[in-house]
Amino acid sequence: MSTFKAPKGTYDLIPPYSAKYLAVRDAISGPLRLSGYGYVETPGFEDVDLFARGVGESTDIVTKEMYTLTTKGGANLALRPEGTASVLRAALEANLHKAGGLPVKLWYSGSYYRYERPQKGRYRHFSQVGAEAIGAEDPALDAELIILADQAYRTLGLRNFRILLNSLGDKECRPVYREALQAFLGGLDLDEETVRRAEINPLRVLDDKRAEVQKQLVGAPMLRDYLCDACKAYHEEVRALITAAGVAFEDDEKLVRGLDYYTRTTFEFVHDGLGSQSAVGGGGRYDGLSEMIGGPALPSVGWALGVDRTVLALEAEGVELDIPPATSVFAVALGEAKPVLFGLVTELRKAGVAADISYGGKGLKGAMKDANRSGARFAIVAGDRDLAEGVVQLKDMESGEQSPVTVTDVVALLRTKLA
Ligand code: HAM
C-alpha cells in the first residue's frame, strides 16, 4: 500500500469491476447516439458564476457543495457540479444555435464534483451521462428524452425503477404561485436558512426532506392548481406521448428537483433498492437558463443519469451485465517461441480478437496460470519443438483439448472459432 488513499468521498474504478461502468455509459449513450445527439465535452471547471447564476443561489449545490478555487491569475473557478450549465455555455460560445436547425441535440459523459456528506450512492466525485436538447419548445422533445432514458435502463436490464413526473409552470404562472407559496411559508416556523431559501426560491422548500418542515407543509398551495392553460396543455401532451410509447410514470406534484433552472416538465428516475439516495437520474425543461447566463431565449430540455447509482441499482436487482471477456486468446511462449507468438498476438489484435501473452519469462506452469486468470477461451502454446515443426498447440480452455495447428493458419482458425 502507498502512503496515500483516494480522497474522502471518492473511490477508484478497478478492473474487472470498472468494465461495468463502461458498459453502463455505453448503454445510456447508445439510444442518444441513435437519436441525433452529438457528443460534447467541456472542461472539468468553469467560471464559478456560471453555476451560481445557472444552478441557482438558493440551491445546496451552489451554497454548500461547490469545489471552488482562485487561480494564480485571479480567476474564480469551480469544479463542475453538473453538466447542463456548461453544455449550454459551450453551445452558445460555439454559436451552435445559429449554425443550423434547432434543437441542438448534445450528449456528454464525465466526472462531476459536489462537496456532499459521503454515503452509499453519494460521492464527492461521481459520474453522469447526460443529454441536452437546446432551442426548441416541443413536448415531443421532452417525451423523447424520457423515453430514451427508459430505453437505456431497460436495455441494461433494470426493472424496478420509477419515473416521477411534474410540471413547474412557466414565467406566466409560476410567479403567481410563487407569491401564494411565499405567503403561506411566511406563516410557518422555519429556521433562518430556510426562510432565506423561501425568499429566493420558495419551491425548493417543498423539497425539504426534514420531517419538522414537511409537517408544516401540509395544506401548502400546490402548483398544479396554478398552472396556466399553456403549461397544462404542454404537460398533457408530454404525458400522452410518453403513455403512447408504453412508458409508465407517476405524477408527482411535489417533485421540485435540486436545481433552480427548471421550468415546466421535470422528472426523476428513482430506484427503490438504493436506500436514501434513490434518484438514479433526473432532468427537465430549462426554458430560461440561456437568458440567465447572457444568451438569447433558447427553451431547452435535458437529463443526466448517474452512472455510480445506476451500477448500484443493477447490483440491487442482481442484474449481471453481459460483459465480453477482456481476453479471448492467451499466448504462452516457451523457449525461443516468444517472437513468433508475439507476432501472432499482434496479428490477432489487428484482426479484432482480444489477445494477450504472458510476460516476464515465466515457465509453462506460471504462464498457464496467467492464461487461466485472463479468462481466455483459447490458449496458444508453443516451444522450440513446435516451432521446428511449424505449429503451435491450440488449447481449448473450456474442454482442455489441445491440438497442433500450423502457424500460418492459426489466426484465421481462431477468428472462425470465435466468430
Ligand atoms: P441532478 O439530479 O443533480 O441533475 O443529478 C443527476 C444524477 O446524478 C442524480 O440523479 C444522481 O444519479 C447523480 N448524482 C448527483 N449527485 C451525486 C453524488 N453526489 N453522488 C453520486 N451520484 C450523484 C443534474 O445534474 C442536472 N444537470 C440534470 C439535467 C440535465 N437537467 C437538465 N439537463
Side-chain angles (χ1 to χ4, degrees):
M1 220 172 75
S2 86
T3 326
F4 300 102
K5 283 188 161 180
K8 185 176 173 190
T10 73
Y11 62 104
D12 304 306
L13 290 175
I14 311 279
Y17 189 66
S18 51
K20 281 193 190 187
Y21 283 70
L22 289 181
V24 165
R25 290 188 185 115
D26 270 357
I28 298 176
S29 61
L32 298 169
R33 285 178 274 148
L34 289 178
S35 310
Y37 290 76
Y39 178 67
V40 62
E41 201 168 308
T42 63
F45 47 81
E46 297 273 355
D47 189 319
V48 70
D49 288 337
L50 173 67
F51 302 116
R53 271 204 252 165
V55 175
E57 304 274 11
S58 79
T59 62
D60 283 348
I61 295 180
V62 168
T63 54
K64 299 179 191 157
E65 296 169 3
M66 275 206 293
Y67 283 88
T68 53
L69 61 123
T70 306
T71 65
K72 291 193 181 81
N76 291 321
L77 303 176
L79 298 188
R80 57 182 182 189
E82 63 104 45
T84 309
S86 309
V87 167
L88 185 55
R89 194 267 311 137
L92 290 170
E93 192 170 331
N95 278 319
L96 294 185
H97 57 298
K98 292 183 189 158
L102 294 173
V104 176
K105 300 210 277 188
L106 300 168
W107 77 272
Y108 52 96
S109 170
S111 294
Y112 297 85
Y113 308 86
R114 293 183 194 175
Y115 188 75
E116 296 196 73
R117 199 169 46 75
Q119 66 177 84
K120 190 180 176 199
R122 188 166 68 196
Y123 311 105
R124 291 181 172 176
H125 165 269
F126 58 97
S127 152
Q128 289 183 344
V129 175
E132 313 292 348
I134 297 164
E137 190 187 279
D138 185 336
L141 206 49
D142 308 40
E144 167 177 291
L145 279 160
I146 294 171
I147 293 164
L148 291 175
D150 179 81
Q151 188 190 329
Y153 281 147
R154 290 194 184 278
T155 308
L156 278 167
L158 270 189
R159 291 292 172 264
N160 304 334
F161 66 90
R162 294 179 291 131
I163 302 175
L164 310 179
L165 185 67
N166 194 19
S167 172
L168 290 181
D170 65 3
K171 58 177 184 295
E172 300 304 319
C173 53
R174 189 127 109 229
V176 183
Y177 170 67
R178 201 187 132 101
E179 223 170 274
L181 182 60
Q182 251 164 354
F184 174 86
L185 295 175
L188 305 184
D189 178 24
L190 301 169
D191 59 277
E192 212 172 291
E193 191 188 327
T194 313
V195 169
R196 201 177 81 88
R197 175 169 292 170
E199 274 162 24
I200 308 174
N201 186 352
L203 270 76
R204 299 253 15 256
V205 180
L206 296 179
D207 200 29
D208 201 307
K209 302 285 184 282
R210 291 171 298 177
E212 66 269 25
V213 177
Q214 279 302 326
K215 213 167 51 199
Q216 297 189 67
L217 291 175
V218 177
M222 296 308 293
L223 183 51
R224 143 184 55 114
D225 302 321
Y226 288 77
L227 285 185
C228 61
D229 288 343
C231 282
K232 266 190 214 154
Y234 193 95
H235 198 56
E236 279 318 308
E237 234 179 297
V238 174
R239 294 175 79 256
L241 287 163
I242 310 171
T243 308
V247 172
F249 61 90
E250 296 167 25
D251 292 307
D252 180 356
E253 54 208 30
K254 278 197 164 169
L255 180 71
V256 176
R257 309 251 317 115
L259 305 96
D260 279 351
Y261 48 59
Y262 291 113
T263 51
R264 288 196 170 169
T265 315
T266 43
F267 48 87
E268 211 154 77
F269 295 83
V270 293
H271 194 279
D272 295 322
L274 292 188
S276 62
Q277 302 307 312
S278 62
V280 286
R285 197 153 257 294
Y286 48 96
D287 292 342
L289 180 57
S290 174
E291 287 137 300
M292 272 147 68
I293 63 169
L298 281 173
S300 307
V301 57
W303 52 240
L305 308 187
V307 177
D308 312 75
R309 287 187 198 167
T310 302
V311 170
L312 290 174
L314 289 165
E315 287 170 0
E317 281 194 38
V319 177
E320 283 301 330
L321 295 178
D322 187 18
I323 294 170
T327 305
S328 300
V329 178
F330 197 93
V332 171
L334 307 165
E336 302 299 315
K338 188 75 166 261
V340 173
L341 290 202
F342 191 76
L344 285 176
V345 164
T346 305
E347 254 186 82
L348 282 165
R349 289 171 177 167
K350 276 191 197 156
V353 175
D356 204 358
I357 186 167
S358 79
Y359 287 103
K362 290 181 190 125
L364 180 63
K365 212 168 141 198
M368 281 314 288
K369 247 191 205 162
D370 287 349
N372 274 321
R373 211 177 287 133
S374 77
R377 180 75 178 73
F378 296 100
I380 42 180
V381 187
D384 299 343
R385 199 157 10 121
D386 300 301
L387 291 189
E389 290 168 17
V391 299
V392 297
Q393 302 296 325
L394 180 63
K395 182 168 180 179
D396 184 320
M397 300 294 281
E398 266 172 28
S399 66
E401 274 167 34
Q402 187 172 310
S403 54
V405 179
T406 46
V407 172
T408 44
D409 291 341
V410 70
V411 171
L413 180 67
L414 279 168
R415 283 185 76 182
T416 328
K417 280 185 184 284
L418 288 164

